[in-house]
Amino acid sequence: MTLNNATFARLLHTGKASLDKMKLKFLLPGCLLLFAGWLSAQNGIVRGNVFDKESGEPIIYGTVRLLNTSLGANTDVEGFFAIPNVPPGSYQLVATYVGYDSVVVDVSVKAGGIVFKSIYLNAAAIELGGVEISARKEQARADVQISKITVTTKQIRSLPSTGGEPDIAQYLPVLPGIISSGDQGGQLYIRGGAPVQNRILLDGMTIYNPFHSIGFFSVFETEAIRSVDVLTGGFNAEHGGRISAIVDIKTREGNRKNFGGIVSASPFQGKVLLEGPIKKLKDTGGGSTSFLLTGKHSYLDQTSKVLYKYATDTSFYSFAAGDTSLADVLKDVGLPFSFTDLYGKLSFIGDNGSKLHLFGFNFTDRFSLPNIADLEWTNTGGGANFTLIPPNSNILIEGLAAGSGYLIGLKESDGRPRTSAINTFTVNMNFTSFHDKGEVNYGFDFTGFNTDFAFRNALNIGFAQKDFNTEIAGFIKLKQQLGNIVFEPGLRMQYFASQSDMQIEPRLGVKINISEGLRFKFAGGLYSQNLISTVNELDVVNLFVGFLAGPERSLFKPASTEPAADRLQHAFHAIAGLEIDLGKNTELNVEPYYKGFTQLISINRNKLSSADPDFETETGRAYGIDFSLRHEVKDLYLWATYSLSYVDRDDGRQQYFTVFDRRHNANFLATYNFGKKRLWEAGLRWNLGSGFPFTRTQGFYQNVNFQDLLLTDVLTGNFPLGTILSEKRNDGRLSYYHRMDISLKRRFELGGTSKIDATLSVTNAYNRENIFFVDRITNNRVNQLPILPSLALTYSF
């Protein structure tokens, strides 16, 4: 290359421009922080926590205001609130929450001072019907909340659940934009994103493969969950490492005042939860230490032999391996699913609201058919997270240090075992600085993971990877309310060490409060990730879920030999929305969205030789519109959702719809409390979905074994059938899916805090034969699960 004056000038100009951009990236956060600090120095700050007086549980999204002023805030999921920019003076601070008596405390604010208050609310003896405060609507006006749905334990319990055991795995498919591929080994697809493109967090820690093989149950214990934030797209800079969606699950502390627990049993599983104080929280406040232990174990493989024999016939599992009839096998083993989940948490909470949590877990799962397939995985880990509230600082500090190990193995009758392991450690810290009508959130993430993966394809061509990867990220997000507009710009910088690649990912969220009952919102951003799944999007069902890092060798654009720009997966999101309050108790949310997957990477499972590339690329799109309508009054909860969506991929040879492309998806959920003391609860959920795509069969041929021609009679031999598929991928559609689940619950109060809940539930109440897939050779139809009635008993104390 000849470096002439013109070339040198261009290089110098480019370098100067890059340097100016780098200066801007570092100067802008500093200026924002200095501005926030100057504002807080002129006035004072009132902050604190709001708790339930009986249990010490935080009050989520309660309202805290300074009387006779316009200053106030909502509590977060930890019960924390902060009211910045309070002029010096004496005030009355009032905390309110529906179903609780209001509490008023006196506060005195000095210039530059910080006042902290712990407030304890008593449950109201008489439920007031005229209370106008709606924490959810207050939150809707103050936050962007686009493509974000917050789910509570109460909402999960309200869903008619399989086996009478409520679980987040059954609730998530009710949300708009989320599709489940089936009852057995079902995976969740969120607005066009495959499971590996969705990050599932437990107290800030990534959980790999969080759903059990049966498909109805997750590894998470419902009664230990505090909140679930589901971000189906357009998430801001505090989240990264995935290109489609985030599911952020936070667990609660154990009871800080009293020992208690839950014991339950159903035909599907049994579980135990124990909690209580080690250092009891006093009525006057102060610090406390508490514990929470949960465990659940399934025994469906045993109970199904007696209760659900009809579910193990060949109409349900219609395939065979070798000369072994699967129906005969299932008579002996029942439904071949089993799992055990253990979780523990130790919480230290200071008198100023600072917290330290130590947690650990062990999740296992097994799917076993003798002589056919034996799959087993385990996920073990633990760590610590903390919240630090410095007494003389306007900054809230949160952090996490955790590690986990995931191992899965599959042995099949073909003798080709598959194994995958991923070990991860994570360290992150987040800082939040509060200022007038806004806040600045910034922090860093450090993640390291090593993968160990091996398998052989149908041609006995091997693939193996052992790799170690480090990802370092820093982010900053500003939240500012400007009149009736909430503005949330963000920037994330993510460095992938194994790829020697730095990604700059701008994010933006905006909400415009047009009127008291009408709000417009928008969000978008750039996203990237390095993690790849062994599950192929062509699979109808695949219980083997392994993980590996992105390729470190050359990667090519789809169906070409042209090198790709990098070796990461990329996407961009653009989402808009309208929130409409149709009266005091009814809300409508409408969100059109577009996700562009500019580079997707998967294992090349069609390798014909060891010289062929290990990975292949494609591009894709996901776009559509989601509607949700919610109506909630004292005894009745109604929720209806509808999604119109299109999901396709382009592998460079053809553009095709994915196997999880569901054009229409609708859900209706109803819960009604009735009877004396409202001890009865009836629930109903109905789901309707259009058929998934599949590739049509064009014909058959005899699959001759040419590797042993000496012993093979090509002319007269009788060989296994092979299939000739349509040249157009996924050119057919299965029939529509629809299912109704119902439940009836009765509570028996035994005195004090003791009670028993008896829940009668029926899954697939009208026994709809929903197609799962059709065996191409035998033409036998395989259906989803049939009608499954059950009775669950839960004792709480």
Side-chain angles (χ1 to χ4, degrees):
M1 175 181 176
T2 302
L3 188 63
N4 53 35
N5 288 339
T7 304
F8 181 78
R10 284 197 301 271
L11 290 174
L12 186 62
H13 176 74
T14 302
K16 184 177 184 301
S18 300
L19 184 60
D20 289 342
K21 289 180 180 178
M22 289 183 66
K23 288 179 179 178
L24 181 62
K25 291 171 188 171
F26 288 101
L27 284 174
L28 179 60
C31 291
L32 289 172
L33 293 178
L34 288 173
F35 178 66
W38 179 82
L39 281 175
S40 63
Q42 309 308 306
N43 294 310
I45 299 172
V46 178
R47 67 187 185 189
N49 290 87
V50 183
F51 300 106
D52 180 299
K53 190 171 184 178
E54 178 65 26
S55 66
E57 275 287 294
I59 298 296
I60 301 175
Y61 300 146
T63 301
V64 184
R65 293 194 178 279
L66 294 174
L67 288 180
N68 302 317
T69 75
S70 61
L71 301 176
N74 293 111
T75 60
D76 62 13
V77 294
E78 301 292 339
F80 178 79
F81 69 91
I83 306 175
N85 201 33
V86 180
S90 297
Y91 300 89
Q92 285 188 310
L93 182 69
V94 57
T96 57
Y97 191 69
V98 176
Y100 285 79
D101 292 329
S102 299
V103 170
V104 179
V105 296
D106 294 324
V107 294
S108 181
V109 180
K110 298 179 180 179
I114 298 176
V115 179
F116 182 89
K117 290 290 183 180
S118 290
I119 302 173
Y120 296 87
L121 301 185
N122 280 310
I126 301 175
E127 193 165 333
L128 301 177
V131 176
E132 295 293 334
I133 297 172
S134 172
R136 187 170 63 244
K137 291 185 178 181
E138 288 283 343
Q139 199 74 8
R141 297 185 189 101
D143 292 343
V144 173
Q145 287 191 315
I146 190 165
S147 296
K148 176 182 176 181
I149 300 174
T150 298
V151 180
T152 64
T153 301
K154 179 182 177 181
Q155 291 171 323
I156 300 173
R157 290 196 205 105
S158 70
L159 183 74
S161 50
T162 300
E165 299 285 357
D167 195 283
I168 188 62
Q170 300 173 47
Y171 195 90
L172 287 176
V174 178
L175 305 182
I178 300 183
I179 299 295
S180 175
S181 60
D183 299 331
Q184 311 109 61
Q187 298 289 323
L188 290 182
Y189 300 86
I190 303 180
R191 281 187 175 170
V196 72
Q197 294 153 10
N198 309 318
R199 169 162 276 172
I200 312 294
L201 298 172
L202 177 64
D203 291 328
M205 183 178 183
T206 300
I207 300 296
Y208 301 95
N209 197 13
F211 304 110
H212 289 295
S213 299
I214 183 62
F216 287 124
F217 301 105
S218 70
V219 299
F220 311 113
E221 170 50 49
T222 300
E223 299 300 332
I225 291 176
R226 169 166 293 155
S227 68
V228 182
D229 286 337
V230 183
L231 298 92
T232 57
F235 44 91
N236 217 303
E238 67 268 33
H239 293 295
R242 295 295 186 274
I243 61 174
S244 184
I246 304 291
V247 179
D248 188 3
I249 300 173
K250 292 182 172 63
T251 60
R252 62 180 178 87
E253 298 94 8
N255 194 305
R256 300 166 65 191
K257 285 197 168 185
N258 303 295
F259 178 79
I262 296 173
V263 179
S264 76
S266 75
F268 285 73
Q269 66 177 13
K271 68 180 181 181
V272 175
L273 181 148
L274 298 174
E275 61 179 322
I278 297 175
K279 178 185 177 184
K280 192 173 182 178
L281 175 66
K282 299 178 181 179
D283 290 338
T284 55
S288 67
T289 304
S290 64
F291 73 92
L292 178 71
L293 298 173
T294 71
K296 58 183 178 180
H297 177 72
S298 70
Y299 34 76
L300 184 61
D301 54 337
Q302 302 300 319
T303 57
S304 60
K305 298 176 185 178
V306 178
L307 300 178
Y308 305 121
K309 283 185 177 181
Y310 58 90
T312 62
D313 62 18
T314 54
S315 65
F316 177 49
Y317 291 104
S318 180
F319 64 90
D323 297 325
T324 303
S325 167
L326 186 60
D328 293 336
V329 173
L330 289 172
K331 289 178 182 178
D332 297 325
V333 301
L335 293 175
F337 304 99
S338 62
F339 59 82
T340 302
D341 299 326
L342 302 173
Y343 177 81
K345 185 174 185 179
L346 190 62
S347 301
F348 305 86
I349 302 179
D351 57 359
N352 73 334
S354 295
K355 301 179 181 182
L356 171 65
H357 303 297
L358 307 177
F359 62 90
F361 59 84
N362 181 262
F363 308 136
T364 62
D365 183 276
R366 188 174 186 186
F367 173 86
S368 181
L369 290 173
N371 304 318
I372 297 175
D374 191 359
L375 176 139
E376 187 170 4
W377 59 257
T378 182
N379 197 347
T380 303
N385 58 41
F386 67 87
T387 299
L388 179 62
I389 305 176
N392 298 311
S393 172
N394 185 31
I395 295 178
L396 176 71
I397 304 172
E398 298 174 296
L400 168 73
S404 70
Y406 170 79
L407 174 65
I408 185 170
L410 173 64
K411 297 179 182 178
E412 296 182 285
S413 58
D414 59 14
R416 295 194 297 266
R418 280 182 271 178
T419 60
S420 178
I422 180 168
N423 296 293
T424 305
F425 68 89
T426 300
V427 176
N428 65 48
M429 290 191 71
N430 298 332
F431 304 86
T432 303
S433 174
F434 300 93
H435 59 267
D436 188 25
K437 295 185 178 180
E439 60 188 54
V440 178
N441 183 222
Y442 56 97
F444 69 86
D445 297 327
F446 182 88
T447 300
F449 65 91
N450 64 283
T451 59
D452 187 351
F453 174 75
F455 95 114
R456 306 188 77 82
N457 66 11
L459 298 177
N460 208 32
I461 303 298
F463 177 95
Q465 184 196 75
K466 291 185 177 181
D467 206 353
F468 180 80
N469 300 265
T470 302
E471 298 178 7
I472 304 172
F475 74 91
I476 183 169
K477 181 183 76 170
L478 169 68
K479 175 184 174 183
Q480 185 65 50
Q481 187 167 353
L482 304 171
N484 63 342
I485 299 176
V486 182
F487 188 57
E488 283 189 2
L491 180 68
R492 186 177 184 89
M493 294 176 285
Q494 185 124 355
Y495 179 69
F496 299 90
S498 63
Q499 307 290 356
S500 299
D501 196 332
M502 169 72 83
Q503 292 294 313
I504 308 298
E505 301 175 355
R507 314 280 175 83
L508 176 64
V510 177
K511 172 165 283 186
I512 303 174
N513 292 286
I514 299 173
S515 67
E516 187 73 12
L518 179 62
R519 298 171 291 278
F520 171 79
K521 52 190 177 180
F522 168 82
L526 300 180
Y527 306 87
S528 60
Q529 78 174 69
N530 188 31
L531 192 69
I532 298 173
S533 172
T534 63
V535 176
N536 192 288
E537 294 182 4
L538 301 179
D539 294 328
V540 176
V541 61
N542 191 336
L543 299 178
F544 181 83
V545 181
F547 299 93
L548 60 160
E552 295 185 6
R553 291 184 292 178
S554 296
L555 189 69
F556 303 101
K557 292 183 177 180
S560 75
T561 56
E562 181 182 353
D566 58 33
R567 299 184 297 275
L568 298 170
Q569 300 188 79
H570 296 280
F572 65 89
H573 301 178
I575 304 167
L578 274 178
E579 296 174 358
I580 307 171
D581 295 338
L582 303 175
K584 178 182 174 182
N585 303 305
T586 307
E587 304 163 14
L588 174 66
N589 187 72
V590 183
E591 287 189 2
Y593 64 91
Y594 186 96
K595 291 182 180 179
F597 299 102
T598 53
Q599 180 161 283
L600 299 172
I601 305 173
S602 61
I603 296 175
N604 181 8
R605 299 198 300 182
N606 297 315
K607 286 183 63 170
L608 299 178
S609 71
S610 57
D612 289 339
D614 290 332
F615 297 91
E616 55 188 2
T617 64
E618 59 183 0
T619 60
R621 303 176 301 172
Y623 56 97
I625 186 168
D626 292 334
F627 298 85
S628 64
L629 180 67
R630 184 201 306 261
H631 177 76
E632 187 172 5
V633 292
K634 181 178 179 181
D635 294 321
L636 179 66
Y637 176 77
L638 301 175
W639 196 27
T641 67
Y642 168 73
S643 298
L644 172 67
S645 63
Y646 297 81
V647 185
D648 62 29
R649 299 288 188 260
D650 190 338
D651 62 2
R653 303 175 185 88
Q654 61 176 301
Q655 190 173 4
Y656 62 95
F657 292 115
T658 65
V659 294
F660 53 89
D661 172 56
R662 172 161 276 171
R663 187 71 64 249
H664 307 282
N665 193 53
N667 280 281
F668 176 73
L669 174 63
T671 304
Y672 179 60
N673 295 96
F674 62 98
K676 188 177 180 180
K677 295 184 181 182
R678 302 165 65 197
L679 296 176
W680 289 87
E681 180 182 277
L684 178 146
R685 182 244 176 154
W686 185 71
N687 175 225
L688 171 71
S690 56
F692 289 126
F694 73 98
T695 304
R696 298 177 189 269
T697 301
Q698 297 291 87
F700 301 92
Y701 65 93
Q702 291 201 33
N703 192 5
V704 181
N705 180 11
F706 289 102
Q707 294 181 351
D708 191 5
L709 290 176
L710 291 177
L711 300 177
T712 301
D713 189 342
V714 178
L715 297 178
T716 62
N718 188 16
F719 304 101
L721 286 179
T723 57
I724 302 174
L725 301 180
S726 170
E727 292 184 358
K728 179 63 177 176
R729 185 182 294 180
N730 292 339
D731 57 341
R733 290 271 175 178
L734 299 176
S735 58
Y736 265 70
Y737 171 99
H738 55 88
R739 191 183 90 192
M740 178 182 289
D741 302 337
I742 58 176
S743 66
L744 182 65
K745 181 167 69 176
R746 172 65 159 91
R747 172 163 294 177
F748 300 91
E749 296 179 343
L750 305 180
T753 59
S754 297
K755 61 192 176 206
I756 293 178
D757 288 336
T759 305
L760 175 65
S761 66
V762 183
T763 301
N764 196 3
Y766 50 77
N767 202 26
R768 160 75 175 178
E769 291 186 348
N770 289 303
I771 188 171
F772 195 15
F773 62 91
V774 175
D775 188 299
R776 296 183 185 272
I777 303 299
T778 65
N779 202 37
N780 287 334
R781 170 172 166 155
V782 180
N783 288 327
Q784 306 272 14
L785 286 172
I787 183 172
L788 293 174
S790 66
L791 176 65
L793 296 176
T794 302
Y795 172 60
S796 304
F797 59 94

